[in-house]
Amino acid sequence: MKVKEFPSLSKENEDKLVVDLLNWSLGNGLTMYPPNFQPHSAIHAPVTLYPTPFPKQEYEKLVQVQKTFNELYLNVVKNKKWLLSILTDLAKFDSQFTGKLFETYLKAEKFGIVQPLSLGLFRNDYMFDSADGVTGSIKQIEFNTVSVSFGGLSPKVGALHDYLNKLGVYNDKTSKQYYSPGEIPISDSYKKLALGLYQGNYYYNNKVENTDTIILFVVQPNERNCFDQRALEYELISQYGIKSVRMTLQEINDNVTIDPSTKKLYTKSTNDEISVVYYRSAYAPSDYVDDSCWEARYQLETTQLIKCPTLLTQLSGAKKIQQILTNKKEIEQFLPTISSSQLDKLLETFVKIYPLDDSEEGLLAKKLIAENPENFVLKPQREGGGNNIYKENIPGFLETLPQEEWAGYILMEIITPPSFKNKIIREGKIYEEEIISELGIFGTILFNEETGDILENDNSGWLLRSKFSSSNEGGVAAGFGCVDSLYLYD
Ligand code: ADP
Ligand code: MG
């Protein structure tokens, strides 16, 4: 195994590379809105100067297990009785959000859910658990079932690094390519995620090509990561002729109508029939600014639309479910025909995750927190970053909570990824700090929530995000992290 060092450039050559990088980024939409949002002015997305090394074999293993993970989550959703019993408990611990999502599901279920088909655009996040960067294995951080981001920008970072390599600016004294062909792969994530949405449209129309029905993107107001989402929209219209429309949760009630007899949804202004709703919002409490947002979520759930995701599929991504699914017996229950070698591959990606209840495992977890909190991260049932409690902060945090509420959290072993001396460029400024990376593998599944029938199940590319190793969380838009690409080594 031979891993190339990062390119080492003179200050002058690095300055030149930065100009090439910024021009390419702005020229190709590797962009975001800056914090002071103005619709006419974008800025380059924070990226690394160089691709970050990642072991090729491990990457290939993750790609290979993704469809099985997709299927695992479909079976969780299909096994409604089991899922509902877990969610009933979780709802008590997090009545403000998980509880409200669950309540909204129950209300929709009572009224009548007419569309059994469900679309999942998932992302399975991992880190390389290896202090020395060579030995170790890839471990799962979390499985995301709602609003997975950066499928749009990821291919562009790969293309940017590939361009800089081909241009020869990764070498100091020659203009030869620094990385060999095949060492910088380019993710096909926006093409594959858009294909998933296209398939949703196709199945909505009973397996007929139809470019009259459109796709609804539910987004956050003044979304800074708009171009990441737009990449999917541009692909939908250029490849498939399918239009999309963007609305915030709050805008839905005033801008759509539901035909009460057919349960079909139409835009008010243009009377376009909507086939699929794709949520790039609605995963955090702050997305539901008032009751109209909850009402909109409920209303959409009861229509003919194919939801990406449905409330149940979204809720299946709860951290609690992830904890339960690290148990071999549980996986065997959900995937009874899984081969033992494939099962082993799934299990190999898990670190230990404990419940914090009164079970034997829960009691052990409480003991471990008291003895070695530095080995753990504590997670509530929330999404979107900034919610976890790390290491030494765990005991003090738990003391502020009544013991009965602890069971709403899971305790996960800390994964220690190797750090690299890559460089990050953010708002034109270069940061030279040790970085650590998180690899997300995208997967798409279209399935029937009632029967469990799988209509489509596919791999959908990948994403590498990096952050300063000094920061616990890696939100790119939040200012901690950046988008990166892979340098795959054997
Ligand atoms: P969220 O739903 O908020 O995205 P995550 O489980 O993905 O929650 O955690 C957020 C971030 O915290 C991750 O992106 C990762 O950087 C860090 N993190 C989470 N779990 C671990 C872990 N077991 N070991 C090390 N870092 C972790
Ligand atoms: Mg995450």
Side-chain angles (χ1 to χ4, degrees), residues 66-170:
Q66 184 57 32
K67 287 205 245 176
T68 308
F69 268 111
N70 293 345
E71 212 178 317
L72 176 62
Y73 274 80
L74 128 75
N75 281 298
V76 167
V77 176
K78 186 193 122 188
N79 202 329
K80 226 190 247 171
K81 210 170 136 208
W82 181 88
L83 181 58
L84 295 191
S85 75
I86 307 276
L87 293 174
T88 305
D89 281 347
L90 283 187
K92 287 185 216 139
F93 297 120
D94 179 24
S95 58
Q96 288 308 305
F97 192 60
T98 310
K100 283 193 94 168
L101 287 172
F102 186 49
E103 234 173 66
T104 308
Y105 163 74
L106 291 175
K107 190 171 150 196
E109 167 77 16
K110 197 163 169 210
F111 181 82
I113 289 177
V114 289
Q115 177 59 267
L117 301 187
S118 173
L119 177 63
L121 299 188
F122 297 153
R123 202 187 64 218
N124 204 353
D125 288 338
Y126 303 89
M127 279 182 175
F128 187 28
D129 196 13
S130 162
D132 64 5
V134 184
T135 49
S137 58
I138 303 291
K139 298 295 180 190
Q140 185 184 51
I141 294 275
E142 74 158 335
F143 193 89
N144 299 282
T145 58
V146 60
S147 189
V148 299
S149 56
F150 293 111
L153 294 191
S154 171
K156 297 188 182 186
V157 195
L160 165 70
H161 288 156
D162 182 56
Y163 159 77
L164 294 171
N165 185 47
K166 284 179 174 152
L167 198 61
V169 293
Y170 281 159

Side-chain angles (χ1 to χ4, degrees), residues 125 127 141-142 144 319 351 377 379 382-388 390 412-415 438 465 467 472-474:
D125 288 338
M127 279 182 175
I141 294 275
E142 74 158 335
N144 299 282
K319 306 277 194 288
V351 292
V377 48
K379 300 188 182 184
R382 290 282 166 90
E383 294 301 321
N387 303 303
N388 298 341
Y390 292 88
M412 183 175 190
E413 280 178 351
I414 279 278
I415 298 167
E438 183 167 342
R465 268 176 309 168
K467 61 177 182 178
N472 277 324
E473 298 253 345

Side-chain angles (χ1 to χ4, degrees), residues 248-415:
T248 64
L249 260 185
Q250 213 178 8
E251 285 165 343
I252 288 176
N253 281 340
D254 287 341
N255 290 289
V256 303
T257 51
I258 299 174
D259 180 325
S261 58
T262 62
K263 299 275 171 239
K264 289 184 171 178
L265 192 79
Y266 298 87
T267 56
K268 256 190 199 162
S269 56
T270 48
N271 206 33
D272 285 315
E273 183 178 343
I274 301 171
S275 57
V276 177
V277 55
Y278 174 46
Y279 289 103
R280 290 297 296 264
S281 168
Y283 58 85
S286 53
D287 293 330
Y288 297 80
V289 287
D290 57 26
D291 285 346
S292 79
C293 298
W294 287 105
E295 178 63 18
R297 188 76 201 262
Y298 158 72
Q299 290 288 347
L300 294 197
E301 204 71 9
T302 62
T303 64
Q304 280 292 349
L305 284 185
I306 292 186
K307 276 70 86 183
C308 178
T310 64
L311 279 160
L312 275 191
T313 299
Q314 177 172 344
L315 285 162
S316 74
K319 306 277 194 288
K320 181 72 190 172
I321 306 277
Q322 184 192 354
Q323 174 245 308
I324 296 171
L325 292 178
T326 55
N327 184 324
K328 185 174 175 185
K329 288 211 176 67
E330 298 288 352
I331 298 185
E332 282 170 335
Q333 179 206 324
F334 289 114
L335 296 173
T337 59
I338 190 170
S339 69
S340 61
S341 66
Q342 190 71 351
L343 176 60
D344 285 345
K345 283 185 194 149
L346 258 63
L347 294 172
E348 276 168 27
T349 67
F350 300 145
V351 292
K352 189 76 197 147
I353 309 182
Y354 298 89
L356 273 186
D357 53 19
D358 293 331
S359 66
E360 209 173 299
E361 290 244 289
L363 297 176
L364 173 61
K366 289 173 193 173
K367 188 164 159 273
L368 290 169
I369 293 174
E371 287 167 0
N372 293 100
E374 68 279 6
N375 295 339
F376 298 99
V377 48
L378 182 74
K379 300 188 182 184
Q381 310 301 319
R382 290 282 166 90
E383 294 301 321
N387 303 303
N388 298 341
I389 296 100
Y390 292 88
K391 303 180 183 180
E392 286 80 4
N393 294 333
I394 298 173
F397 173 80
L398 285 175
E399 271 170 31
T400 65
L401 295 180
Q403 282 252 5
E404 325 64 275
E405 286 180 23
W406 291 19
Y409 291 76
I410 58 157
L411 186 75
M412 183 175 190
E413 280 178 351
I414 279 278
I415 298 167

